[in-house]
Amino acid sequence: MSGVILKAKGIFKNYKTGNRMVNALAQMDLEIEEGLFYAIVGRSGSGKTTLLQLLSTLETADGGEIWLEGEAYSTLQGSRRALVRRKKIGVVFQEYWLMPELSVYENIVLPILLDDRSIDEEYIDRVMKVLEIEGLRESYPHQLSGGELQRTAIARAMANRPQLIFADEPTGQLDETSAFQVMKLLKEANTVFGQTIVMVTHNKQMAQYADKILVLDGGKLIKGVLDE
């Protein structure tokens, strides 16, 4: 049985909209097991993206605690928090956020260079091969299709060998064919490299690629699958 790599206890998040306070995420307990592929699904406004941002340290919870490999996020300050994010967490956004002046290969290895580490060329080559972008090594973002851009963004998130990869609607801007291809390759990457993946999606078909599906409604985890 896999061990727990990420644990949340009593986390919640509120946002102020005008004079109104919105409870984006109710108090929640959650455990993520190492090496599994999770999909977070739910209606628009159910708290999916808020939960992903809290778990990936992109935002801070208003209360509760999150532990990564037994270490509490709240104890991480400044540079230590940034270091954990760079080395242990990879994030794939709906927007690709690739550097237009860099080639596919340069975009992928950029996180490694920013961390002042040596590049494991064998590992990078393997990642590019699994994601089927090895032939695009010297291409630039403006020369790529949407699916190729997203696969490059996934490879960049994997470059530092993070224990956890968070993906926010990774197929949201893709046509159906490209979306299914990206999901198949993301699942293969999870299987081949053993990285834990937590993905937000509104598409229940895409969620079927996951080992476990978490359903949110009104900022709370619920049982069952939501109707459209």
Side-chain angles (χ1 to χ4, degrees):
M1 183 176 177
S2 302
V4 174
I5 188 172
L6 186 71
K7 181 179 180 180
K9 182 74 173 177
I11 59 170
F12 66 92
K13 185 72 175 179
N14 298 318
Y15 293 103
K16 190 171 184 180
T17 303
N19 294 323
R20 188 167 64 96
M21 188 65 70
V22 177
N23 183 210
L25 197 71
Q27 288 198 1
M28 183 181 297
D29 297 341
L30 179 65
E31 290 188 348
I32 300 296
E33 293 181 51
E34 185 176 7
L36 297 185
F37 191 152
Y38 289 79
I40 301 173
V41 302
R43 299 184 181 92
S44 178
S46 61
K48 302 187 303 295
T49 295
T50 297
L51 176 59
L52 195 79
Q53 289 173 334
L54 297 182
L55 296 178
S56 63
T57 77
L58 292 176
E59 287 202 29
T60 302
D62 290 335
E65 187 57 90
I66 301 172
W67 293 267
L68 175 59
E69 294 187 314
E71 186 172 20
Y73 279 173
S74 63
T75 65
L76 304 177
Q77 302 296 324
S79 60
R80 171 62 180 158
R81 190 181 182 93
L83 184 65
V84 167
R85 185 183 299 122
R86 283 204 314 271
K87 289 192 172 182
K88 296 188 176 185
I89 294 172
V91 183
V92 180
F93 301 96
Q94 186 172 340
E95 298 286 343
Y96 314 119
W97 301 117
L98 300 177
M99 302 290 287
E101 69 275 15
L102 299 182
S103 68
V104 165
Y105 171 78
E106 290 168 337
N107 267 288
I108 292 170
V109 301
L110 184 61
I112 302 173
L113 299 178
L114 291 175
D115 208 25
D116 198 26
R117 296 170 58 199
S118 59
I119 299 169
D120 183 340
E121 298 290 357
E122 184 177 350
Y123 170 72
I124 296 298
D125 288 347
R126 192 175 176 211
V127 167
M128 293 180 73
K129 184 173 182 179
V130 168
L131 293 173
E132 298 181 4
I133 53 174
E134 69 270 30
L136 303 173
R137 192 180 183 91
E138 302 304 325
S139 299
Y140 287 83
H142 73 273
Q143 299 172 309
L144 307 182
S145 68
E148 290 166 346
L149 288 166
Q150 191 59 287
R151 297 203 302 269
T152 300
I154 292 169
R156 180 185 56 192
M158 296 174 64
N160 262 338
R161 295 178 183 262
Q163 287 97 324
L164 272 163
I165 294 177
F166 295 95
D168 189 5
E169 298 280 6
T171 63
Q173 297 199 70
L174 304 179
D175 60 62
E176 187 176 26
T177 300
S178 296
F180 277 110
Q181 185 182 29
V182 164
M183 287 308 306
K184 179 181 176 182
L185 294 170
L186 196 59
K187 178 64 176 178
E188 186 174 351
N190 162 251
T191 303
V192 171
F193 299 104
Q195 288 159 321
T196 307
I197 297 177
V198 181
M199 175 187 72
V200 158
T201 182
H202 68 279
N203 189 316
K204 288 189 286 187
Q205 285 183 295
M206 302 304 161
Q208 298 307 312
Y209 283 86
D211 300 308
K212 294 189 177 184
I213 299 175
L214 307 177
V215 184
L216 263 67
D217 190 21
K220 299 178 181 180
L221 280 174
I222 65 171
K223 294 182 179 180
V225 178
L226 288 173
D227 295 326
E228 295 293 347

